Amino acid sequence: MFAMVVILVSIGGSAKDVISGRVVTVIDGNTVEVTTADSETYIIMLHEIDCPELGQKFGEQAKRFLEKLLLDKPVSVEMKGKNRWGTRFGIIMIDGELDPRYELLEAGLAWTTEVNPNPEFEELKERAKENGRGLWREDTPTPPWKFRRQQTLTQFKSN
């Protein structure tokens, strides 16, 4: 009986781990707003990559790139957890095939995550870097996590 309850709970839990909807807003290069058929709205950050912030070089370009890929398109999202502010991480798929994370990395518009990067993504990032694509045209581009930390320190000092 206990095993049956565990199975039912895990099935119910995993059904909620994937949503389907339409991308209604691209917030930045790795964050979108998805609305489901039930009119539920989710803010989703792409899992395992990080794009330049809008105040950084290539931030707007990454956003426009993601808009071309996702805006007003039906997608499925596999949820992968939340950050400390409650924003959900997810793997977004268009037509069950196209994963925009690969496209962003190949175009040189994204970094892999700061901690424990996905080896496959790291390889794509390094290839874009070797070929001088996107942000890798710069000699020493600032990763978005360093940019955010710098912004936080600046805001803290100005108060």
Side-chain angles (χ1 to χ4, degrees):
M1 185 68 150
F2 177 73
M4 187 61 133
V5 169
V6 169
I7 290 170
L8 288 173
V9 167
S10 67
I11 290 171
S14 65
K16 286 289 185 187
D17 291 339
V18 177
I19 64 163
S20 294
R22 182 170 296 277
V23 173
V24 294
T25 307
V26 174
I27 296 168
D28 62 24
N30 62 296
T31 311
V32 299
E33 186 176 12
V34 176
T35 300
T36 66
D38 301 343
S39 297
E40 289 187 58
T41 300
Y42 297 87
I43 304 289
I44 308 293
M45 291 180 71
L46 296 175
H47 184 57
E48 298 184 310
I49 69 164
D50 202 353
C51 292
E53 295 294 324
L54 293 177
Q56 285 184 270
K57 285 186 180 179
F58 297 97
E60 285 290 337
Q61 188 176 345
K63 179 183 177 185
R64 286 191 307 272
F65 189 89
L66 196 59
E67 284 174 338
K68 287 179 186 174
L69 290 175
L70 295 179
L71 191 59
D72 294 324
K73 296 202 173 126
V75 296
S76 61
V77 182
E78 180 183 348
M79 299 298 188
K80 290 294 187 179
K82 295 179 182 180
N83 66 14
R84 60 183 162 194
W85 299 280
T87 304
R88 292 173 171 88
F89 289 108
I91 298 172
I92 298 176
M93 299 296 285
I94 306 165
D95 298 326
E97 296 175 13
L98 180 67
D99 182 340
R101 300 174 305 164
Y102 290 87
E103 307 293 319
L104 285 159
L105 286 162
E106 288 173 351
L109 295 172
W111 275 265
T112 52
T113 51
E114 180 182 16
V115 179
N116 299 322
N118 175 322
E120 183 180 9
F121 289 171
E122 189 68 15
E123 187 177 314
L124 290 171
K125 180 197 82 172
E126 288 302 318
R127 194 172 321 136
K129 191 174 185 178
E130 288 168 13
N131 293 319
R133 291 191 193 123
L135 61 91
W136 302 113
R137 285 184 240 147
E138 301 288 315
D139 289 333
T140 54
T142 302
W145 53 86
K146 285 187 178 178
F147 180 82
R148 288 189 294 268
R149 287 180 196 136
Q150 291 167 350
Q151 296 302 303
T152 301
L153 289 173
T154 303
Q155 289 172 357
F156 181 71
K157 289 179 183 177
S158 67
N159 286 337

